Amino acid sequence: MLINFFRKLLNWIYFEYCYLCKKPSYKGSLCEECQDQLVRNKITPVKIIDSTPVYAAGFYNEQTSKLIKAFKFYNQTQLYKPIAIFMNELWQQTPYSKEHFCIIPMPLHKKKKKQRGYDQVLLIANEFAELNGYDVDSKLVTKVKNTKPQYELNKTERKINVSRAFKFNKNFYKGQKLLLMDDILTTGASMEELIRTIKNFDVNDICAIVGAEAVLK
Ligand SMILES: [Zn+2]
């Protein structure tokens, strides 16, 4: 009772401001209301790539784009938490959530990581893994080609851009089920290439989840 009281008191003292509505938040970098208002996607996969189901937690709308852009390009690294929670809500409703997975964050080229200063998908993956008791492996698949940002390109150029961009380091593979993770899915070119690269090694126990599904204009 007393412990609960002090915990509540501490939450009130150490509040943050919600990134979206700027009001005080007692639940971390997104307030409870804004977290609840994120538009959820359907529970069925948004894409099946080479028989791999790809789930998307939300749509790329005004709120999610603000959130993901800030997280990805403007150093708002603390947003990994609400994004992971949001993705996990959908994941818990899929038939796979009770199985054990090793998460593969969408590989980031080392030059990009140096420029940005952090690997944003890895941050989400670590939190998501903690919520589910999963493992994370950011070395099993690596990015060997420093591709151009996909948003600058059209659908065909995106495919060419990511072609042979990844390397599956099969010596590290121990037969785990893999959960591929990314922040946004647009045409799915990167995800498709990642799945193709892994499946080339006859690894077929794969699932994928992204934060939001975007429609290419
Ligand atoms: Zn808010």
Side-chain angles (χ1 to χ4, degrees):
M1 184 88 177
L2 205 60
I3 291 174
N4 261 341
F5 171 77
F6 280 116
R7 197 171 284 150
K8 273 189 187 156
L9 191 69
L10 282 177
N11 277 343
W12 277 88
I13 296 168
Y14 295 105
F15 67 87
E16 292 176 53
Y17 285 98
C18 170
Y19 187 77
L20 289 177
C21 71
K22 313 293 178 204
K23 290 179 193 157
S25 162
Y26 305 99
K27 286 255 168 176
S29 42
L30 269 202
C31 73
E32 205 167 354
E33 205 176 318
C34 286
Q35 181 89 37
D36 284 349
Q37 276 172 5
L38 294 174
V39 182
R40 271 88 181 145
N41 213 334
K42 58 189 178 203
I43 300 156
T44 46
V46 288
K47 251 188 174 82
I48 306 272
I49 301 174
D50 202 0
S51 65
T52 301
V54 182
Y55 293 95
F59 297 100
Y60 199 58
N61 60 8
E62 201 189 324
Q63 288 165 315
T64 45
S65 75
K66 204 172 162 189
L67 209 60
I68 293 173
K69 274 184 193 157
F71 175 58
K72 202 167 174 170
F73 303 114
Y74 300 105
N75 272 313
Q76 300 295 321
T77 51
Q78 79 281 8
L79 294 172
Y80 73 87
K81 219 167 185 166
I83 296 173
I85 291 170
F86 179 56
M87 288 168 73
N88 192 44
E89 273 175 24
L90 179 118
W91 179 248
Q92 287 306 315
Q93 298 177 69
T94 70
Y96 301 96
S97 63
K98 298 289 167 277
E99 298 173 32
H100 188 269
F101 280 89
C102 173
I103 305 176
I104 307 296
M106 179 58 77
L108 185 67
H109 195 272
K110 55 178 188 251
K111 279 191 183 158
K112 280 257 165 61
K113 189 181 171 185
K114 208 173 169 191
Q115 273 173 6
R116 189 173 294 157
Y118 56 99
D119 180 341
Q120 87 280 6
V121 186
L122 179 60
L123 293 175
I124 302 174
N126 284 334
E127 178 69 16
F128 194 97
E130 211 174 299
L131 292 170
N132 288 286
Y134 293 169
D135 304 310
V136 179
D137 195 334
S138 56
K139 300 213 164 55
L140 185 59
V141 191
T142 42
K143 194 156 186 191
V144 287
K145 183 172 153 188
N146 193 10
T147 52
K148 290 182 201 158
Q150 292 283 76
Y151 58 77
E152 292 175 357
L153 311 169
N154 67 32
K155 203 172 172 178
T156 318
E157 289 166 335
R158 284 175 184 228
K159 278 202 169 186
I160 299 167
N161 188 36
V162 294
S163 167
R164 296 173 193 275
F166 306 111
K167 183 175 178 246
F168 184 73
N169 303 299
K170 63 172 189 234
N171 293 340
F172 296 150
Y173 186 63
K174 304 280 183 282
Q176 317 91 310
K177 284 185 178 143
L178 304 180
L179 176 59
L180 315 182
M181 190 169 277
D182 204 358
D183 44 13
I184 305 173
L185 185 86
T186 309
T187 62
S190 302
M191 192 55 91
E192 210 173 308
E193 182 68 15
L194 182 62
I195 292 170
R196 198 192 60 77
T197 306
I198 298 172
K199 286 209 158 190
N200 258 346
F201 289 87
D202 230 14
V203 174
N204 296 303
D205 244 341
I206 320 175
C207 235
I209 187 164
V210 302
E213 178 193 21
V215 178
L216 187 66
K217 286 184 187 117

